């Protein structure tokens, strides 16, 4: 049966990153470089993917999990040597393998698909993706003869001054016939400036066997940028960011200032939502329609329903209902569930709590480990005292309750439905339904006290 496979090279150290981390786990727009490559491979329809790991293999494996198979390249002796390590998976297979580098995250599924198609249709043994780069420094160059036929790829370090001027670069992305690749790898040597086994020598070997080498020169060189240092990481991030924002705008989201807006590739945002400047939307966040998000807000792995406003606030791993207003300056911490038509106002922190529909928590309040019913009003400065120095405890507040300003609710404690709590109370015991609780010293008046003090002085 004809196989369609991919091998992603990710064993290199990436010295030019100057990092303790593997280069391919560095992130662009919230996703590791290798994950970008893998996602494009997966979306192009290739389901059998092998990753060559070596330097900091642990980090790459942690990132990719069981989505792919792994082979280890113990010593990094070059890109050709890296592919040799995948032999056990390729041997005896009939079909095609895409070879990609884990540090080239901008390739699109469409380009991978059309490369495989052209490779098959033209009966090529290998097809190389190339592009013309304004500044080809650092890339391997494509050497062609007078008629434009492929001769070989030459690495930057092995070029002469004439060859250095060539603008057509090797992207490092290829489609091979599996058997032809394995055969040609056997003939590689390391007689070059870097003393490495270059994968880039295989097309010339294949051509010299009288087999067909094809080239796809793509129009947009941005698709094949390789990332070797943190400046290129920034450049690639900018391109990815632009792709993501443009996709959101095309699907009906208004982004007031794309320069200061960051949205993850996996975020889903509804039509007619407006994103104000300084907004960061991360992870698998889902935002509904007609929302107003920002300015200066950060939302991570959360769900925000339709017509909700998030103003200058942070929401982490939580959900927020419809027609709710959050902020300015609210902090919603993980595992919170906030209902519909709720108001979470300025300097309110909510942690691991459920807040019922139509509840108002307007200012300067801490709600932690609490279940707050619907239509509740928490006055300014209410604090759930959830921590006794050893353990966290829960606070329950029933529906339609009214908690006055500056009330401490010392957990574990329950306030039942329709209860009222007087301002300044410190509540340590259960408050019955429809009761008023007052838990504070009575006010004492000492008539003439100030005047007497002055006389004494
Ligand atoms: C490589 C190509 C070059 C191309 C460029 C495109 C070679 C010899 N050169 O150069 O023609 O223009 O990419 O970006 O292939 N790797 C391993 N094991 C190794 C060495 C590298 O797994 O022993 C992996 C790295 O982790 C990396 C990828 O292969 O993901 C490319 O290696 P890198 O050293 O960055 O190659 P370049 O010098 O950029
Ligand atoms: Ca590279």
């Amino acid at each position: 049966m004809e196989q369609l496979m991919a091998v992603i090279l990710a064993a290199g150290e990436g010295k030019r990153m100057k990092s303790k981390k593997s280069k391919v786990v560095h992130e662009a727009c919230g996703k590791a470089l290798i994950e970008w490559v893998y996602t494009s491979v997966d979306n192009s329809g290739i389901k059998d993917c092998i990753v060559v790991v070596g330097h900091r293999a642990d980090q790459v494996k942690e990132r990719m999990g069981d989505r792919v198979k792994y082979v280890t390249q113990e010593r990094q002796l070059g890109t050709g040597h890296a592919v040799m390590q995948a032999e056990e998976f390729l041997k005896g297979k009939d079909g095609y393998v895409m070879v990609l580098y884990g540090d080239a995250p901008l390739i699109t599924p469409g380009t991978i698909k059309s490369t495989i198609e052209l490779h098959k249709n033209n009966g090529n043994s290998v097809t190389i993706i190339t592009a013309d780069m304004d500044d080809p420094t650092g890339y391997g160059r494509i050497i062609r003869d007078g008629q434009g036929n492929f001769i070989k790829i030459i690495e930057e370090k092995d070029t002469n001054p004439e060859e250095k001027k060539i603008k057509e670069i090797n992207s490092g992305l290829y489609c091979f016939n599996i058997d032809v690749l394995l055969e040609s790898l056997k003939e590689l040597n390391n007689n070059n400036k870097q003393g490495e086994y270059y994968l880039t020598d295989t097309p010339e070997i294949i051509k010299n066997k009288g087999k067909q080498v094809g080239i796809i020169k793509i129009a947009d060189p941005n698709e094949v940028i390789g990332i070797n240092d943190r400046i290129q990481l920034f450049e690639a991030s900018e391109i990815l960011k632009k792709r993501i924002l443009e996709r959101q705008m095309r699907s009906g989201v208004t982004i007031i200032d794309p320069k200061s807006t960051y949205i993850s590739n996996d975020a889903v945002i509804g039509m007619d939502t407006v994103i104000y400047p300084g907004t960061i939307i991360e992870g698998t966040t889902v935002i509904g329609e007609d929302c107003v998000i920002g300015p200066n807000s950060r939302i991570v792995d959360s769900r925000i329903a339709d017509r909700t406003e998030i103003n200058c606030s942070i929401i982490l791993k939580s959900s927020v209902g419809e027609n709710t207003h959050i902020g300015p300056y609210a902090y919603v911490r993980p595992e919170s569930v906030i209902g519909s038509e709720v108001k979470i106002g300025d300097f309110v922190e909510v942690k691991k709590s459920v807040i019922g529909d139509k509840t108002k928590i307007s200012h300067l309040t801490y709600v932690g480990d609490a279940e707050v019913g619907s239509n509740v009003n928490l006055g300014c400065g209410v604090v759930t005292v959830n921590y006794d120095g050893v353990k966290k405890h829960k606070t329950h507040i029933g529906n339609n309750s009214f908690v006055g300003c500056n009330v401490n609710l010392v957990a574990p404690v329950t306030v039942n439905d329709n209860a009222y709590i007087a301002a300044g109370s410190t509540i340590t015991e259960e408050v019955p339904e429809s009761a008023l609780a007052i838990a504070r010293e009575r006010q004492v008046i000492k008539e003439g006290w100030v005047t007497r003090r002055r006389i004494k002085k």
Side-chain angles (χ1 to χ4, degrees):
M1 204 187 79
E2 202 173 78
Q3 309 274 336
L4 185 54
M5 305 172 75
V7 175
I8 304 177
L9 306 190
E13 184 180 344
K15 287 193 189 73
R16 290 161 280 186
M17 287 303 275
K18 303 267 159 58
S19 172
K20 297 185 283 300
K21 290 197 289 191
S22 155
K23 172 166 70 177
V24 299
V25 304
H26 278 266
E27 287 187 354
C29 291
K31 208 157 148 166
L33 300 182
I34 185 152
E35 285 185 290
W36 282 107
V37 179
Y38 168 76
T39 305
S40 286
V41 165
D42 190 48
N43 290 342
S44 78
I46 305 177
K47 298 298 161 189
D48 192 355
C49 183
I50 300 148
V51 175
V52 183
V53 292
H55 179 77
R56 296 310 315 257
D58 54 325
Q59 295 179 337
V60 179
K61 286 180 174 173
E62 192 192 322
R63 210 55 204 228
M64 295 304 298
D66 56 11
R67 292 181 279 182
V68 297
K69 295 177 199 150
Y70 299 97
V71 292
T72 307
Q73 184 191 23
E74 296 292 351
R75 292 169 61 212
Q76 285 78 58
L77 303 178
T79 49
H81 180 256
V83 179
M84 288 176 202
Q85 312 310 306
E87 194 183 343
E88 54 173 297
F89 286 114
L90 299 171
K91 216 167 42 192
K93 299 244 168 80
D94 179 31
Y96 310 97
V97 58
M98 280 294 304
V99 177
L100 310 99
Y101 295 166
D103 67 351
L106 293 156
I107 191 70
T108 59
T111 298
I112 295 176
K113 263 195 218 158
S114 50
T115 301
I116 297 166
E117 231 160 79
L118 179 126
H119 178 88
K120 287 187 188 174
N121 292 344
N122 290 9
N124 295 340
S125 286
V126 55
T127 305
I128 310 164
I129 302 180
T130 74
D132 286 333
M133 287 266 181
D134 289 340
D135 178 9
T137 312
Y139 291 93
R141 308 294 207 283
I142 304 296
I143 312 288
R144 298 189 190 235
D145 67 15
Q147 279 80 53
N149 299 311
F150 174 81
I151 299 181
K152 63 176 175 177
I153 301 172
I154 182 156
E155 288 307 294
E156 163 100 7
K157 288 202 174 113
D158 301 302
T159 51
N160 64 38
E162 267 316 296
E163 291 163 335
K164 261 197 186 63
K165 288 185 203 149
I166 296 171
K167 299 261 188 232
E168 189 181 7
I169 60 100
N170 168 36
S171 70
L173 309 163
Y174 328 75
C175 182
F176 288 93
N177 287 4
I178 294 173
D179 54 346
V180 177
L181 170 66
L182 291 177
E183 220 173 85
S184 63
L185 286 173
K186 292 204 176 78
E187 294 178 35
L188 283 184
N189 63 54
N190 62 354
N191 302 330
N192 52 57
K193 280 271 161 56
Q194 305 190 79
E196 290 183 357
Y197 294 91
Y198 290 161
L199 180 63
T200 47
D201 288 343
T202 55
E204 187 188 6
I205 293 169
I206 292 166
K207 195 200 68 160
N208 290 343
K209 287 179 190 291
K211 295 188 163 132
Q212 192 153 300
V213 178
I215 289 183
I216 287 197
K217 194 201 271 190
I218 56 170
D220 178 9
N222 279 344
E223 228 190 283
V224 293
I225 289 175
I227 292 167
N228 297 319
D229 59 31
R230 296 193 196 233
I231 294 165
Q232 289 167 325
L233 179 65
F234 164 72
E235 288 164 356
S237 301
E238 288 285 288
I239 295 164
L240 286 167
K241 181 183 143 180
K242 189 160 181 274
R243 277 191 201 163
I244 295 168
L245 295 182
E246 287 181 357
R247 193 184 71 223
Q248 292 291 358
M249 291 190 262
R250 266 189 226 106
S251 68
V253 177
T254 295
I255 298 174
I256 305 279
D257 180 22
K259 277 202 270 326
S260 71
T261 304
Y262 298 82
I263 300 177
S264 82
N265 193 48
D266 299 328
V268 178
I269 306 176
M271 210 189 279
D272 290 320
T273 284
V274 180
I275 315 268
Y276 278 82
T279 295
I280 303 167
I281 296 168
E282 296 179 55
T284 52
T285 294
V286 178
I287 297 176
E289 297 189 353
D290 300 302
C291 293
V292 179
I293 310 291
N296 302 326
S297 295
R298 179 164 177 244
I299 304 175
V300 182
D301 293 328
S302 294
R303 299 184 82 84
I304 314 289
D306 297 345
R307 296 174 301 281
T308 280
E309 284 188 28
I310 313 284
N311 180 6
C312 292
S313 293
I314 297 174
I315 317 251
L316 309 177
K317 297 180 191 293
S318 291
S319 76
V320 181
E322 293 178 2
N323 294 308
T324 285
H325 290 255
I326 303 230
Y329 315 114
Y331 183 23
V332 177
R333 290 167 53 194
E335 294 180 55
S336 296
V337 179
I338 293 172
S340 296
E341 293 177 54
V342 168
K343 179 173 185 205
I344 306 282
D346 47 277
F347 307 105
V348 172
E349 176 175 341
V350 178
K351 177 227 144 186
K352 206 176 177 179
S353 294
V354 179
I355 311 290
D357 295 345
K358 294 190 163 76
T359 284
K360 307 267 175 285
I361 310 176
S362 297
H363 358 247
L364 300 166
T365 291
Y366 173 66
V367 180
D369 303 304
E371 265 178 44
V372 181
S374 59
N375 205 27
V376 169
N377 189 88
L378 300 188
C380 180
V382 169
V383 174
T384 55
V385 184
N386 60 329
Y387 186 50
D388 62 10
V390 182
K391 274 167 98 180
K392 301 276 167 64
H393 300 281
K394 294 199 80 172
T395 302
H396 293 267
I397 303 174
N399 300 329
N400 309 313
S401 289
F402 184 99
V403 180
C405 291
N406 245 22
V407 165
N408 292 311
L409 297 160
V410 183
V413 73
T414 298
V415 177
N416 288 292
D417 291 354
N418 303 312
Y420 262 62
I421 297 176
S425 294
T426 292
I427 299 294
T428 55
E429 281 158 38
E430 181 164 349
V431 179
E433 199 175 322
S434 302
L436 167 66
I438 308 172
R440 60 175 189 232
E441 282 287 287
R442 268 204 170 278
Q443 183 168 324
V444 175
I445 300 288
K446 299 193 174 175
E447 291 288 353
W449 185 89
V450 175
T451 324
R452 287 200 297 280
R453 281 284 285 245
R454 291 223 175 104
I455 289 167
K456 265 193 176 169
K457 232 189 336 189

